Amino acid sequence: PYLIPFLIGLTILEDIGYLPRVAYLMDSFMHRIGLHGTATLPAVLGYGCSVPAVMATRILPSKRDKVIAAIVATLVPCSARSVVIFGLVARYLGAGAALFIYVLNIFVIALTGKVLSMIMPEVSPGMIMEIPRYQLPTLTALFRKVWFRVREFIIIAWPLLILGSIILGMVEFWGWDLILNKIFSPLSWLLGLPAKVGTTLIFGVLRKELSLIMLMQALGTTEVLSVLTPVQVMTFTIFITFYIPCMATIAVLIKELGNRWTVTIIGITLLLATILGLISRLGFGLLL
């Protein structure tokens, strides 16, 4: 329910030829963080999926621009992360709380890009881009592209959801979840989350939406607020939004940027997620 309308909207923007114009409009802003408007395209694509977003960094002229744009793209909440934001925060805490996470994400992306451009200074070249003409998208092409993206969710995510539930059930039956939760207990304690949440973080690296299903599986209920406080729901979601990219994205990062930069990006996202999760715990703890 959350994914399909978003994909339809993104596909319409792609097919009418508006995305290159977004790059032109964002050029001035992107120069403030050391990039140019072309880097907007990977970021926008990131709202659909991080994999094509990272692949889109190929259009950038320098390795430095590709690295910063790739980091920015992995921080953008993809459709899988949006499922967690809408299915957890919007459902239980309201649309305003979900909107806050997206606004926070934009602020963090801008700040991260600015810091990275200061660490890796370089005069970014001017933007040269062909602007396609506006055109009405055909319904056939629209539905095919949406189905192609939804099919990936059905074919890849659903089996993982089912298999993940089975594995987690078996792990709980044999008591292995206690071991895994102890391994992640320092992080869970730091974020103020129950120890049983630790296992869900593993599945989130496979597919981000798995963390939502596995959370309910671990808690033993779909009524999340009966187990977690609103502060814990926000903290968990903010952490999931920013932490380690999924396995498919990691594979593409290795292919595009190499092992060293991939490990660096994993470290940056994990550090950011932990800091923001801790700030969320403390900040919302005072407000709520």
Side-chain angles (χ1 to χ4, degrees):
Y2 315 113
L3 182 62
I4 294 177
F6 173 82
L7 292 178
I8 291 174
L10 181 62
T11 303
I12 290 174
L13 289 178
E14 288 178 352
D15 286 1
I16 65 176
Y18 186 68
L19 287 186
R21 290 167 171 82
V22 172
Y24 174 77
L25 294 173
M26 292 293 292
D27 185 60
S28 176
F29 170 78
M30 296 301 286
H31 270 287
R32 296 180 181 178
I33 61 174
L35 295 171
H36 53 78
T38 311
T40 306
L41 296 180
V44 173
L45 290 175
Y47 283 100
C49 179
S50 299
V51 172
V54 173
M55 294 175 66
T57 60
R58 296 173 183 175
I59 65 176
L60 301 179
S62 69
K63 180 67 175 289
R64 175 257 190 194
D65 285 3
K66 291 178 182 179
V67 169
I68 297 179
I71 295 174
V72 168
T74 56
L75 291 176
V76 171
C78 62
S79 56
R81 293 173 181 174
S82 294
V83 169
V84 180
I85 295 171
F86 287 119
L88 194 59
V89 172
R91 178 180 179 184
Y92 294 105
L93 302 183
L99 179 61
F100 168 80
I101 293 179
Y102 283 99
V103 174
L104 172 65
N105 181 261
I106 293 173
F107 173 77
V108 171
I109 286 174
L111 182 60
T112 302
K114 182 65 175 179
V115 171
L116 290 173
S117 66
M118 294 172 64
I119 296 174
M120 297 183 287
E122 180 179 289
V123 177
S124 187
M127 184 180 67
I128 300 176
M129 175 180 289
E130 180 182 355
I131 302 295
R133 64 182 178 85
Y134 279 120
Q135 60 184 4
L136 290 175
T138 63
L139 290 178
T140 302
L142 177 66
F143 285 119
R144 281 182 178 177
K145 293 180 72 172
V146 172
W147 166 242
F148 178 78
R149 290 165 173 167
V150 173
R151 183 183 62 182
E152 178 188 358
F153 179 82
I154 295 173
I155 294 175
I156 298 177
W158 281 10
L160 286 175
L161 293 174
I162 297 171
L163 181 62
S165 297
I166 294 173
I167 292 175
L168 186 57
M170 295 171 65
V171 166
E172 290 177 345
F173 178 77
W174 285 316
W176 295 348
D177 60 317
L178 299 177
I179 299 174
L180 294 174
N181 288 331
K182 282 185 178 180
I183 294 174
F184 288 95
S185 60
L187 180 59
S188 301
W189 173 83
L190 184 64
L191 298 176
L193 299 173
K196 64 179 68 176
V197 172
T199 54
T200 65
L201 303 179
I202 301 174
F203 293 96
V205 177
L206 298 177
R207 293 276 299 194
K208 294 303 178 183
E209 63 270 37
L210 281 173
S211 58
L212 175 60
I213 305 300
M214 295 301 103
L215 174 67
M216 296 180 180
Q217 178 78 13
L219 297 178
T221 178
T222 57
E223 296 300 323
V224 175
L225 288 183
S226 66
V227 182
L228 301 180
T229 65
V231 174
Q232 289 175 322
V233 170
M234 283 294 292
T235 300
F236 177 82
T237 306
I238 288 175
F239 182 82
I240 292 296
T241 301
F242 288 96
Y243 95 127
I244 303 173
C246 67
M247 291 301 296
T249 305
I250 291 174
V252 174
L253 285 170
I254 293 173
K255 181 179 179 181
E256 297 294 328
L257 301 178
N259 293 329
R260 183 172 66 88
W261 277 114
T262 300
V263 172
T264 301
I265 291 174
I266 290 174
I268 290 173
T269 53
L270 182 58
L271 179 62
L272 273 175
T274 304
I275 293 174
L276 292 170
L278 182 58
I279 293 174
S280 172
R281 174 193 176 185
L282 299 176
F284 287 106
L286 296 175
L287 296 175
L288 300 179

